[in-house]
Amino acid sequence: MIETDRPVERAILVGINFPGQEERETEEYIDELSFLTETAGAEPVKRFVQKLNIPDPRTFVGSGKIAEIAHYVADNRIDIAIFDDELSPSQIRNIEKTLGCRILDRTNLILDIFARRARTSHARTQVELAQYQYLLPRLAGMWTHLERQRGGIGLRGPGETEIETDRRIIRDKISLLKTQLKKIDVQMSTQRKNRGKMVRVALVGYTNVGKSTLMNLLSKSDVFAENKLFATLDTTVRKVVIGNLPFLLSDTVGFIRKLPHDLVKSFKSTLDEVRESDLLVHVVDISHPGFEEQIKIVNETLRDLGSADKPSIIVFNKIDAFSYDAKAEDDLTPVRKENYSLADLKKTWMAKDKNHQVVFISAKTHENAEELRKLLYDEVKRIHILRYPYNDFLYNDDTPRP
Ligand SMILES: Nc1nc2c(ncn2[C@@H]2O[C@H](COP(=O)(O)OP(=O)(O)OP(=O)(O)O)[C@@H](O)[C@H]2O)c(=O)[nH]1
Ligand SMILES: [Mg+2]
């Protein structure tokens, strides 16, 4: 892979602190936006947060705030302003006019990262479809932008015509990509059917929680893992054997807060792996301060995929990186989230979630990996017996267990 030596673009981040949202929460959201920005290859230079009930319909943040941001942009050589929510076409137009730099919203940023990360033609086709779908309603705004760059020549009439031409080209492109994806879908579903009688287990979870690292640990394979968001876009499937029991394990794209809807739709065949699996292994990064909200978002996304009711195991990963503020004995202030120790969290989760098996591990140091293997063995065996009651050649009670 050749990286070109473009100077790193300087970005500012803009978010809203909505009613009912703690400041700490908003900070965490902007932290994530900042991580996304770095993953996309730009440098986050400054953050602007405003308390608002709803986003301003014209400029997302209020007019005073946008003027303050405009000053900062002018004084500090800012290339891009990145907004934490999806902007409407007219908001993009208005903000661009005021700030005079490139405007990106969260959706656009995520699409950009997916586009950079897509390696196979399948992933590229899926991302491209989502990108065109995002672009279609926003063409008018882009045209104004081009017009302005040309110093206003071209006037209104011809401009509108060109938008129509562009729209038609993009619509054609969208339907072409959809046809291509349908073909790929058919191929992939045939491939999946040919895998024979094996229980299928899917690793799911928020992005960057350690799914690929866990895949490598369990399958002794070498899947790409790194400390960036969306390191994995394509699904990898490996045969794993625990004790005498083989099953298929798949690693797939991670979820995130406000995952663009078009992206979820166009990643249908990638996510079919999740939809068609027999068991979900929901990986959670317990060292992340927002892990509880991440669990919620993953569960919502699973519900969207129609996979919320599948049997699942919750794996709390990264226990080696977990830290907490131990409270002194004589400290009488109320216990807060950050005062919970790992033992406290274990107790709480096991009590709270009686429907799921829970295990605490480190995919990095392999701590408790055996406990997870044992749990997987039991669950897969249970499902295997339910699904293939007459197929008992895989094990009998004399064979060794892990
Ligand atoms: N400290 C610690 N780091 C871990 C652990 N497991 C994974 N990591 C690190 O977390 C980062 C993300 O790991 P990945 O395995 O790429 O995570 P993923 O869930 O596959 O991420 P995406 O594919 O980007 O959604 C990497 O830098 C890993 O080295 C762990 O148990 N402890
Ligand atoms: Mg991964």
Side-chain angles (χ1 to χ4, degrees):
M1 209 66 50
I2 302 163
E3 286 280 309
T4 45
D5 281 344
R6 272 186 308 141
V8 175
E9 290 185 296
R10 291 159 58 79
I12 55 153
L13 311 176
V14 187
I16 292 179
N17 178 229
F18 290 109
Q21 220 172 53
E22 282 179 45
E23 271 171 38
R24 181 191 50 79
E25 254 176 286
T26 314
E27 271 314 304
E28 273 173 31
Y29 293 160
I30 309 283
D31 285 345
E32 184 174 272
L33 191 69
S34 180
F35 198 2
L36 283 166
T37 305
E38 285 170 19
T39 302
E43 180 197 357
V45 179
K46 187 167 167 72
R47 313 168 163 208
F48 293 88
V49 175
Q50 187 174 37
K51 262 191 193 322
L52 280 181
N53 288 332
I54 49 159
D56 186 296
R58 290 197 66 255
T59 49
F60 187 67
V61 287
S63 53
K65 195 72 177 178
I66 208 84
E68 178 194 333
I69 298 175
H71 271 120
Y72 188 89
V73 167
D75 293 347
N76 294 278
R77 293 184 298 109
I78 298 300
D79 305 294
I80 332 168
I82 302 179
F83 290 74
D84 195 33
D85 285 275
E86 193 163 308
L87 299 172
S88 71
S90 77
Q91 278 174 329
I92 295 183
R93 228 174 310 153
N94 295 330
I95 298 170
E96 200 176 58
K97 230 178 261 167
T98 319
L99 300 190
C101 66
R102 206 143 51 84
I103 312 299
L104 282 186
D105 62 14
R106 190 184 166 86
T107 305
N108 207 333
L109 184 63
I110 294 176
L111 286 174
D112 188 82
I113 294 171
F114 269 63
R116 281 161 175 267
R117 298 247 159 196
R119 292 283 172 267
T120 61
S121 75
H122 179 213
R124 272 201 291 270
T125 313
Q126 295 182 115
V127 178
E128 219 178 308
L129 175 61
Q131 280 181 312
Y132 278 120
Q133 279 168 333
Y134 174 83
L135 195 61
L136 192 57
R138 290 172 175 77
L139 270 182
M142 292 197 15
W143 181 252
T144 329
H145 176 67
L146 292 176
E147 235 175 7
R148 201 154 35 83
Q149 278 187 340
R150 291 194 209 144
I153 315 167
L155 295 169
R156 217 184 165 71
E160 290 298 324
T161 325
E162 286 207 28
I163 293 171
E164 275 318 305
T165 317
D166 286 356
R167 279 216 179 102
R168 211 178 46 239
I169 294 171
I170 290 184
R171 276 200 203 101
D172 289 350
K173 191 87 191 153
I174 287 177
S175 68
L176 184 73
L177 287 166
K178 280 188 174 161
T179 318
Q180 284 174 355
L181 277 179
K182 264 203 199 108
K183 265 191 222 148
I184 300 177
D185 277 357
V186 173
Q187 282 168 10
M188 308 230 348
S189 102
T190 318
Q191 276 175 18
R192 285 194 298 268
K193 284 198 188 92
N194 289 340
R195 282 190 204 140
K197 287 186 173 180
M198 264 191 265
V199 172
R200 286 160 60 179
V201 182
L203 292 162
V204 294
Y206 211 76
T207 179
N208 208 44
V209 294
K211 298 178 294 298
S212 300
T213 311
L214 192 57
M215 173 87 171
N216 290 338
L217 171 69
L218 290 170
S219 69
K220 302 191 177 57
S221 59
D222 199 7
V223 174
F224 181 61
E226 77 168 333
N227 190 21
K228 288 219 171 138
L229 302 176
F230 303 112
T232 310
L233 279 198
D234 289 292
T235 304
T236 316
V237 183
R238 292 275 187 278
K239 184 175 151 189
V240 175
V241 184
I242 297 180
N244 53 345
L245 182 60
F247 61 91
L248 292 174
L249 183 67
S250 68
D251 175 29
T252 191
V253 55
F255 302 154
I256 197 168
R257 193 173 72 97
K258 299 184 194 157
L259 193 61
H261 193 68
D262 285 336
L263 205 53
V264 178
K265 268 206 315 223
S266 62
F267 267 70
K268 182 190 164 302
S269 65
T270 298
L271 291 168
D272 276 345
E273 203 65 55
V274 173
R275 252 184 237 113
E276 295 178 9
S277 63
D278 307 297
L279 173 68
L280 300 178
V281 174
H282 180 166
V283 186
V284 177
D285 173 0
I286 197 148
S287 74
H288 194 287
F291 80 90
E292 278 163 315
E293 198 193 345
Q294 295 188 344
I295 292 177
K296 248 188 247 155
I297 287 159
V298 171
N299 285 336
E300 278 163 21
T301 315
L302 288 173
R303 217 168 297 135
D304 288 349
L305 295 175
S307 301
D309 299 326
K310 281 189 193 295
S312 57
I313 297 177
I314 307 179
V315 175
F316 289 98
N317 187 32
K318 303 201 191 181
I319 54 171
D320 61 292
F322 177 82
S323 64
Y324 71 106
D325 295 335
K327 261 166 78 86
E329 293 265 316
D330 55 354
D331 182 351
L332 296 178
T333 54
V335 181
R336 294 176 57 88
K337 223 171 72 173
E338 43 288 6
N339 302 130
Y340 283 124
S341 69
L342 208 50
D344 293 334
L345 284 173
K346 269 188 202 178
K347 244 187 276 163
T348 327
W349 274 94
M350 290 187 174
K352 190 155 82 179
D353 205 332
K354 293 225 171 9
N355 296 327
H356 297 107
Q357 302 276 8
V358 179
V359 60
F360 287 69
I361 68 155
S362 165
K364 191 173 167 188
T365 66
H366 301 185
E367 195 178 340
N368 291 346
E370 274 319 301
E371 196 184 324
L372 171 63
R373 282 207 183 87
K374 165 90 177 57
L375 197 57
L376 273 171
Y377 179 93
D378 291 342
E379 285 296 300
V380 171
K381 182 170 173 176
R382 195 178 55 76
I383 295 167
H384 191 99
I385 293 170
L386 278 176
R387 297 237 349 228
Y388 312 113
Y390 305 108
N391 174 5
D392 59 354
F393 63 87
L394 288 175
Y395 40 73
N396 53 56
D397 280 341
D398 306 329
T399 44
R401 289 162 59 93

